[in-house]
Amino acid sequence: MSESGRVPVAVAEVYYRGIGNKHLLRQPSLKTMRTDKTAADLADTDRTPPARPARASTRRQAGQTTGGIVISHPERVVYPDDGITKQQVADYYASVMKWFLPGVAGRPVSVIRCPEGTAKTCFFQKHMIQGLKHVGSARLKEESGAQASYIYLRDAASVIELVRFGVLEFHPWGATIEQPDRADRVVFDLDPGNNVGWERVVAAARLVHRLLSQLGLESFLRTTGGKGLHVVVPLNPGCPWPQVKDFARTFAGTLAQAHPLEFVATASKARRNGLIYVDYLRNSRGATSVASYSLRARPGAPVAMPLRWAELGKLRSGRDFDIRSAPRRLARLRTDPWAGVDTLRQNLDQVIKKFG
């Protein structure tokens, strides 16, 4: 360089790892001096100069704030078939938060993340993600006996923060982090196989509801956002996981034996054709089921929607509600369709005696 520090008088060839602020080279290493080149020769280069990196503050300003959380890449389309963006997902959860949060707060939760949208890789995650500040972490024992660190939702900021990290679906345990050894939910997932009409799924849910009532158990109804329905039995006080698992397996097996042309209780897909699979495997320690009001990472952005039993006959499928229609439904509701689900007192002690 000249004494002024502005006009280059020599050319050097160097290795470097990148270009930082003020166009300074990162970790430069001299390879050789190029006496065969002049500064004027470099002006004729056909190489495209590297783009100046955006400042961190500029990147932050590009995001939008929802519930106090900056949503990065808010314009990213995460449901490509429907043109639904990441910001719209955040707005959806913010709009249904008072309904959604009570069913997930304080529970170990697994999530489905689709950082680049549903058209690309999505994955199930239950452990802490680096960079999370509002989401809690609890070390718990799984059914296998191994210890694992689970994430859990503390508040609305936890939900929106996970959306910022690409989460679309939420799948909580049927227990809380305060009492992980005691289940307070039994979930029967009625999953229709091929060639099963929707009217059969509706009839199956009604039958399960009636049989549970005969056992003295009140149950609640939810669409899954997929093909089927959930019948959910709240337990208060909760019951030990082995007891819940035994009850769920016995009930599903009895149902399949009594109605072999309608139900199957084995997970083999080869045996489900024309039958409704009664999935009871969600009722063991560490297993999860989709949360009420959660989106699903499926075309149309469907929602798992709690319903009154009187509404069952109006359903056309388990995907009747989506990211657009769910908030409209909630705005019309005068009372919670699952009112009393957290205060209803019932458990399995007396029920198990009826099974003999």
Side-chain angles (χ1 to χ4, degrees):
M1 300 290 287
S2 67
E3 292 180 356
S4 67
R6 293 183 179 180
V7 181
V9 296
V11 178
E13 186 173 346
V14 299
Y15 296 112
Y16 61 94
R17 296 293 299 273
I19 298 178
N21 293 335
K22 299 182 180 180
H23 298 288
L24 296 178
L25 301 183
R26 292 176 178 168
Q27 300 181 23
S29 176
L30 178 65
K31 179 180 180 182
T32 185
M33 297 300 297
R34 295 295 300 269
T35 57
D36 59 322
K37 296 283 186 180
T38 67
D41 293 330
L42 300 183
D44 295 329
T45 179
D46 59 357
R47 293 181 61 185
T48 302
R52 185 174 182 177
R55 292 183 180 180
S57 60
T58 302
R59 289 197 298 268
R60 286 195 296 269
Q61 291 171 2
Q64 299 183 33
T65 300
T66 301
I69 304 296
V70 176
I71 305 299
S72 57
H73 306 290
E75 77 292 341
R76 176 174 291 156
V77 176
V78 292
Y79 288 91
D81 294 338
D82 308 280
I84 297 169
T85 66
K86 187 177 180 181
Q87 183 62 51
Q88 288 175 292
V89 171
D91 291 342
Y92 165 77
Y93 278 110
S95 71
V96 303
M97 191 65 70
K98 73 173 185 178
W99 301 86
F100 172 73
L101 192 60
V104 293
R107 294 178 183 271
V109 65
S110 297
V111 296
I112 292 184
R113 293 178 64 199
C114 304
E116 301 298 324
T118 58
K120 297 187 179 180
T121 302
C122 297
F123 49 91
F124 214 62
Q125 185 158 352
K126 61 184 179 181
H127 303 307
M128 204 64 171
I129 306 167
Q130 186 175 6
L132 291 175
K133 299 178 181 179
H134 300 277
V135 176
S137 177
R139 193 158 184 82
L140 302 171
K141 183 175 69 174
E142 296 182 314
E143 188 177 35
S144 64
Q147 292 282 333
S149 183
Y150 273 81
I151 59 176
Y152 68 92
L153 303 176
R154 292 187 175 122
D155 49 25
S158 301
V159 178
I160 303 301
E161 184 177 47
L162 284 170
V163 172
R164 179 181 184 273
F165 278 75
V167 170
L168 297 180
E169 296 190 18
F170 294 83
H171 295 248
W173 279 28
T176 65
I177 58 169
E178 294 181 352
Q179 290 188 307
D181 297 327
R182 300 185 69 84
D184 60 6
R185 295 283 189 275
V186 184
V187 179
F188 294 105
D189 182 2
L190 304 180
D191 185 9
N194 295 330
N195 303 316
V196 176
W198 178 248
E199 68 283 353
R200 289 177 57 191
V201 181
V202 170
R206 285 177 172 148
L207 175 60
V208 171
H209 180 221
R210 184 169 68 252
L211 294 176
L212 289 170
S213 296
Q214 291 173 0
L215 294 172
L217 292 173
E218 188 171 339
S219 58
F220 294 76
L221 177 68
R222 175 171 65 205
T223 66
T224 63
K227 296 187 299 180
L229 295 168
H230 282 172
V231 178
V232 181
V233 180
L235 302 175
N236 183 28
C239 299
W241 280 111
Q243 186 185 54
V244 171
K245 185 177 181 179
D246 287 346
F247 165 74
R249 180 177 60 242
T250 302
F251 183 89
T254 301
L255 188 63
Q257 290 177 4
H259 304 273
L261 300 181
E262 289 295 323
F263 300 101
V264 61
T266 57
S268 172
K269 289 189 177 182
R271 298 184 58 183
R272 294 191 205 176
N273 188 44
L275 299 174
I276 297 171
Y277 172 44
V278 186
D279 184 358
Y280 64 88
L281 298 175
R282 302 177 184 277
N283 302 291
S284 59
R285 188 187 180 98
T288 64
S289 56
V290 69
S292 296
Y293 309 104
S294 173
L295 290 171
R296 306 306 302 268
R298 300 173 181 179
V303 169
M305 179 61 70
L307 300 166
R308 300 181 183 88
W309 281 104
E311 297 177 286
L312 179 56
K314 302 176 184 178
L315 287 179
R316 296 165 298 175
S317 76
R319 300 181 296 275
D320 265 15
F321 300 94
D322 59 28
I323 191 172
R324 296 183 178 92
S325 63
R328 293 197 299 266
R329 165 181 163 79
L330 297 181
R332 294 192 302 267
L333 287 180
R334 295 183 179 180
T335 59
D336 186 349
W338 277 23
V341 70
D342 293 320
T343 57
L344 177 67
R345 297 194 64 82
Q346 60 182 16
N347 64 24
L348 301 177
D349 292 341
Q350 296 300 317
V351 174
I352 289 177
K353 293 180 181 178
K354 294 184 179 181
F355 275 111

